[in-house]
Amino acid sequence: MYCYNCGAKLTKSDKCPNCGAGVGKYKKISYASNCLYNEGLSKAGVRDLSGAAECLRASIRLNKYNIDARNLYGLVCYETGEVVEALSQWVISSNLQPKNNAASRYIKEVQSSQNRLQALEQSIKKYNRALEYCRQGSLDLAVIQLRKVLQLNPKYLRARQLLSLLYINSGDYRNAGKELKRCKKIDLNNTTTLRYIAEVEEQTLPENLEKSGKTEELTDDTNVIKYRDGNETIIQPAGAVNPPVSQTTSNLPSTLLNIGIGLLVGAAIVGFFVLPAQVQKVRTDSENQLKIVGEQSDAKTATISEQTQQIDDLTSQNEELQSQVDTYKASAESLTDDDSLFRAVNAYLTDSTDIGAIADEFSKINYSDVEKSASTEYKNLYTTLLGILQSRLVEYYYNTGYTAYEGADYITSIQDLTLALGYADKDNDSNYAAIEYYLADSYYLQYRDADASAKSQYSDNLSTAQRYFNAVRNDFGDSYLARDAATKLQEISLIKSQTSSDESTGSNADGTAGTADLQD
């Protein structure tokens, strides 16, 4: 265990041997957090995922730096279909401990399959749509959406529990029981699942009793008369009229008559009860199938319409760009082959999907030169192309910058994330906070991981990182990135304080006292 203040290895004493800070309570809290982690690990091993999640959340509340507990909590969430919460925990874990952390591997494994990510995203959207249907009272549509959710993400426990609840509400206890058994396989002791199972068992108990019911038997010899009919013993209550003592005549006609009456009664039961139920079941199944087919048809029609509209928009944009290029060519006296804007336009018109080639050319444009000396047609062309490509440029440079960040290539990550931040709109881009955070962390990690001899060339990195971390903390105060930014600011302040102290007590080459040159 290491000191929370200076990072020195602790001994059995309640004080840090290096800085003297009191660590007694810190040890107890860490010990309690580890005990809760071990309990959560034991419960997860027997698939008591709800109990494991509760223990692990408590462990993290006690010690947010308990990386093992946070990673295991992410695995428990992922196992129950809560992918967003799992990824959030792993991202926090990888930021708290960038090196030798299994969370980075988990994130890469999830992100390695784009099809899987899209399926998980669709399952969340459909689950939310099912909830909306429930609020509107359209329970049949909610059931259809939840079935689709479970096709995309079979382990989504909340969706399966909601589907079983809808089955219970409609009286379909058989399907409800099936879904609840699957829920129990995912999470053995989930309270909601067990409560639903108890409800199903309670509702089906009268039916079970009716199927297994027994009639009372008369056993008191004073109240019954027994006689034999062939190999059978016949029992009748005392006082029955004309109890036969012996059977000497054939009872074949009465037997045949009874059989005939039984067949007629059976046919009547089938005609009045069984056949209408079967017909109604067939009708219900047909209606459900028609609903599913209709919904799929509507979805395909909407997709086709959307794609047609996108094609029309792209065609219109291409025509507008081509018109502006022609206008500029007509008005300009000469154009050079190395003009980056026109090469970017040419790359877009050649293959609008090759965002890498387009971004490479677009990044070479010096917008300040465009503002100062370019013609109106040139500025209009630049503005139009930027409006078409802005969101794609942000996404492209964010992805390349984050990949470089994950690979500890901080030179490339700083370059690409700076471009992404320049193109991004803080009010409209959902990744703005993440871009700003990882850019700040790239500057910080570049300085922190540099050799002692190389730190001087990155001396400005800490101030730059502080500026971006402050922006994340101030602008996105409710997000986990803002909370991590606050933690990183404390670390930077500590590093600056130590650096200032070392330089103020040291000496320069000429023998004069050194002064700190890093300011918060």
Side-chain angles (χ1 to χ4, degrees):
M1 187 178 298
Y2 297 91
C3 177
Y4 64 88
N5 186 41
C6 65
K9 190 172 183 179
L10 300 177
T11 61
K12 294 182 179 179
S13 173
D14 288 341
K15 289 188 177 181
C16 174
N18 184 43
C19 66
V23 294
K25 291 183 178 179
Y26 171 70
K27 285 183 176 181
K28 292 179 180 178
I29 292 172
S30 298
Y31 177 75
S33 176
N34 291 334
C35 288
L36 287 168
Y37 162 71
N38 291 330
E39 185 177 354
L41 182 62
S42 300
K43 291 185 176 182
V46 294
R47 295 207 68 83
D48 181 8
L49 301 187
S50 298
E54 184 176 351
C55 292
L56 295 170
R57 282 195 296 267
S59 175
I60 295 170
R61 282 197 296 269
L62 289 175
N63 181 12
K64 76 172 185 177
Y65 292 99
N66 194 333
I67 302 301
D68 291 333
R70 194 177 292 276
N71 290 346
L72 181 58
Y73 179 52
L75 288 174
V76 170
C77 293
Y78 187 81
E79 187 65 18
T80 56
E82 303 292 342
V83 182
V84 175
E85 179 65 18
L87 288 173
S88 300
Q89 294 299 328
W90 292 335
V91 168
I92 295 172
S93 174
S94 62
N95 282 305
L96 294 176
Q97 181 180 312
K99 294 183 178 180
N100 300 323
N101 193 339
S104 300
R105 175 166 55 84
Y106 299 154
I107 295 172
K108 289 180 180 178
E109 289 178 359
V110 174
Q111 294 178 339
S112 62
S113 174
Q114 291 297 322
N115 292 334
R116 175 62 176 163
L117 277 178
Q118 291 176 0
L120 293 173
E121 181 181 0
Q122 288 297 318
S123 68
I124 294 171
K125 290 181 179 179
K126 290 183 183 295
Y127 176 74
N128 292 333
R129 193 176 304 159
L131 289 177
E132 188 63 29
Y133 285 148
C134 290
R135 295 188 187 101
Q136 297 171 359
S138 303
L139 302 185
D140 291 339
L141 294 177
V143 169
I144 293 172
Q145 288 296 325
L146 291 171
R147 287 173 178 169
K148 293 180 179 179
V149 170
L150 295 176
Q151 287 177 355
L152 296 170
N153 188 1
K155 293 184 178 181
Y156 202 168
L157 183 61
R158 283 196 294 174
R160 201 174 290 280
Q161 288 174 337
L162 180 56
L163 179 59
S164 65
L165 182 60
L166 292 176
Y167 281 143
I168 293 173
N169 182 70
S170 63
D172 188 356
Y173 300 114
R174 181 179 180 183
N175 282 327
K178 289 181 179 179
E179 294 300 333
L180 291 171
K181 285 181 180 178
R182 296 189 180 105
C183 291
K184 200 169 182 181
K185 286 182 180 179
I186 297 173
D187 187 357
L188 189 61
N189 289 325
N190 185 274
T191 305
T192 302
T193 300
L194 296 177
R195 187 168 66 250
Y196 291 171
I197 290 174
E199 178 67 19
V200 171
E201 291 177 349
E202 181 179 352
Q203 292 297 329
T204 56
L205 184 59
E207 179 183 352
N208 291 336
L209 287 177
E210 188 173 283
K211 290 181 179 179
S212 60
K214 297 182 179 180
T215 59
E216 295 183 359
E217 297 181 352
L218 297 172
T219 57
D220 189 353
D221 291 341
T222 62
N223 295 325
V224 300
I225 297 175
K226 299 181 181 179
Y227 62 90
R228 294 189 62 82
D229 182 7
N231 293 326
E232 297 180 354
T233 300
I234 307 301
I235 302 175
Q236 285 188 344
V241 179
N242 297 326
V245 179
S246 63
Q247 294 289 333
T248 57
T249 60
S250 173
N251 58 359
L252 180 59
S254 61
T255 301
L256 293 176
L257 179 60
N258 291 333
I259 292 174
I261 294 173
L263 291 174
L264 290 175
V265 172
I269 291 173
V270 171
F272 282 104
F273 298 102
V274 178
L275 286 179
Q278 291 295 327
V279 170
Q280 182 61 34
K281 184 177 182 303
V282 172
R283 287 179 180 175
T284 303
D285 292 342
S286 300
E287 290 174 358
N288 290 337
Q289 290 296 326
L290 286 174
K291 287 181 182 179
I292 295 172
V293 172
E295 186 175 346
Q296 292 175 348
S297 176
D298 292 341
K300 290 180 180 179
T301 302
T303 302
I304 292 171
S305 299
E306 183 180 355
Q307 291 177 348
T308 302
Q309 184 63 39
Q310 289 178 355
I311 292 172
D312 293 340
D313 292 344
L314 289 173
T315 302
S316 175
Q317 291 172 359
N318 285 340
E319 291 175 353
E320 183 180 356
L321 283 172
Q322 189 62 52
S323 175
Q324 291 184 9
V325 171
D326 294 339
T327 302
Y328 188 77
K329 286 182 178 179
S331 62
E333 294 181 359
S334 62
L335 298 173
T336 59
D337 292 335
D338 61 344
D339 192 298
S340 298
L341 176 59
F342 287 98
R343 287 203 301 271
V345 172
N346 182 63
Y348 177 81
L349 294 175
T350 301
D351 183 6
S352 61
T353 63
D354 189 3
I355 188 61
I358 299 171
D360 183 58
E361 295 298 338
F362 203 86
S363 65
K364 298 175 183 177
I365 302 172
N366 189 335
Y367 185 68
S368 61
D369 293 339
V370 174
E371 283 291 303
K372 290 179 182 177
S373 58
S375 65
T376 303
E377 292 81 4
Y378 191 98
K379 293 178 181 177
N380 291 339
L381 179 60
Y382 176 88
T383 303
T384 302
L385 187 60
L386 177 61
I388 295 171
L389 298 175
Q390 185 172 10
S391 61
R392 296 174 63 191
L393 289 171
V394 173
E395 182 180 3
Y396 172 79
Y397 281 118
Y398 171 61
N399 290 335
T400 57
Y402 182 77
T403 301
Y405 169 86
E406 286 286 306
D409 183 5
Y410 301 121
I411 294 176
T412 303
S413 67
I414 289 172
Q415 174 185 327
D416 289 354
L417 291 173
T418 300
L419 288 170
L421 194 64
Y423 292 128
D425 183 355
K426 182 169 69 175
D427 296 328
N428 296 320
D429 287 324
S430 60
N431 289 326
Y432 191 92
I435 295 171
E436 203 168 32
Y437 175 86
Y438 291 122
L439 177 58
D441 208 25
S442 296
Y443 277 107
Y444 170 59
L445 294 177
Q446 187 181 43
Y447 174 86
R448 194 194 68 180
D449 296 343
D451 296 333
S453 59
K455 285 188 182 294
S456 59
Q457 63 178 320
Y458 300 122
S459 59
D460 294 335
N461 281 33
L462 293 179
S463 297
T464 304
Q466 272 184 323
R467 185 172 71 255
Y468 286 120
F469 278 136
N470 271 319
V472 174
R473 183 185 62 181
N474 295 334
D475 294 339
F476 307 96
D478 294 330
S479 66
Y480 72 88
L481 289 175
R483 294 192 293 272
D484 284 351
T487 302
K488 291 296 178 71
L489 285 170
Q490 293 176 358
E491 296 176 5
I492 292 174
S493 297
L494 180 61
I495 291 174
K496 282 191 170 186
S497 299
Q498 292 176 346
T499 304
S500 299
S501 176
D502 292 341
E503 291 181 356
S504 62
T505 56
S507 298
N508 292 327
D510 57 359
T512 60
T515 58
D517 58 358
L518 291 176
Q519 301 294 329
D520 283 344

